Amino acid sequence: DSHGILGRLVFVAMVVIQVLVAFIPGEPVELLAGYAFGVLEGSLLTLAGFLLGSCLVFALVRQFGVRLVEVFFPQNRIAELGFLKNPKKAQILVFILMSVPGTPKDFLSYFAGLTPLKLVQWLGIVAIARLPSLLTSTITGAAAGEKNYILSAISLGVTLIITLAGICYYRRLCKQEQEKAV
């Protein structure tokens, strides 16, 4: 925060890199955003990084196809989300998966380029669906930065509960789709 606009640009670049390197979890970056910049500015900067990173990943996957996705993710992980190739299901299912904390959002960023979604649809989904997780994380970070440890712990606890529920939901959805395919 003390580095002014340069600090903000570096932070947005860190978020873009976090999206590109999908193995890096996004939640610590979101917590840091709240801690350093507060809830509103931290959320906006993180969202800007998510949008830029997601746009870049989407464009790269459209350019290089499944070969690029296979560099980062094994074929079985790609196959787990094969049901998203259905144009009627893709938009709503991607939105649901992106909005549930605990789902692999950056993995979905790579997979989105393989779906029939248009870039504008994808960016709309990213902008709206990532907000719940983003806000709870930046609230936690901002509260910790203000030494309001009770609010920080409550927000973190709620986030963890929602995340665990999201992970269970994601696994259940993938298992159901795999059973349908058999």
Side-chain angles (χ1 to χ4, degrees):
D1 188 33
S2 64
H3 290 87
I5 190 72
L6 181 61
R8 284 149 177 82
L9 292 174
V10 168
F11 179 80
V12 170
M14 284 177 23
V15 177
V16 170
I17 291 168
Q18 181 272 314
V19 173
L20 287 171
V21 184
F23 300 109
I24 300 172
E27 287 75 14
V29 175
E30 296 168 10
L31 290 167
L32 291 173
Y35 186 87
F37 303 109
V39 176
L40 180 61
E41 187 177 7
S43 295
L44 291 174
L45 290 170
T46 306
L47 185 59
F50 284 158
L51 290 170
L52 290 170
S54 297
C55 183
L56 185 56
V57 168
F58 189 92
L60 288 170
V61 172
R62 286 287 167 98
Q63 177 69 32
F64 297 106
V66 74
R67 293 185 322 254
L68 176 64
V69 180
E70 288 175 334
V71 168
F72 295 102
F73 305 101
Q75 186 64 253
N76 65 329
R77 290 296 305 252
I78 296 169
E80 283 179 2
L81 298 175
F83 61 92
L84 295 178
K85 290 191 175 194
N86 179 330
K88 293 178 182 176
K89 288 184 177 181
Q91 191 169 0
I92 189 69
L93 288 175
V94 169
F95 180 85
I96 290 169
L97 290 172
M98 288 292 288
S99 65
V100 176
T103 57
K105 292 171 185 59
D106 299 315
F107 175 67
L108 288 170
S109 293
Y110 276 88
F111 195 79
L114 300 175
T115 70
L117 292 172
K118 292 178 174 45
L119 178 61
V120 173
Q121 292 172 307
W122 170 237
L123 293 178
I125 289 169
V126 170
I128 296 167
R130 287 194 87 150
L131 281 178
S133 178
L134 171 59
L135 289 173
T136 58
S137 295
T138 54
I139 288 169
T140 302
E146 295 168 2
K147 296 182 179 21
N148 186 346
Y149 300 119
I150 293 173
L151 176 59
S152 183
I154 290 169
S155 180
L156 183 61
V158 168
T159 302
L160 289 174
I161 290 168
I162 294 170
T163 299
L164 290 174
I167 290 168
C168 291
Y169 174 76
Y170 170 73
R171 287 182 179 165
R172 190 170 136 234
L173 182 63
C174 287
K175 185 177 177 181
Q176 287 173 348
E177 291 300 324
Q178 285 177 344
E179 288 172 358
K180 285 180 187 177
V182 174

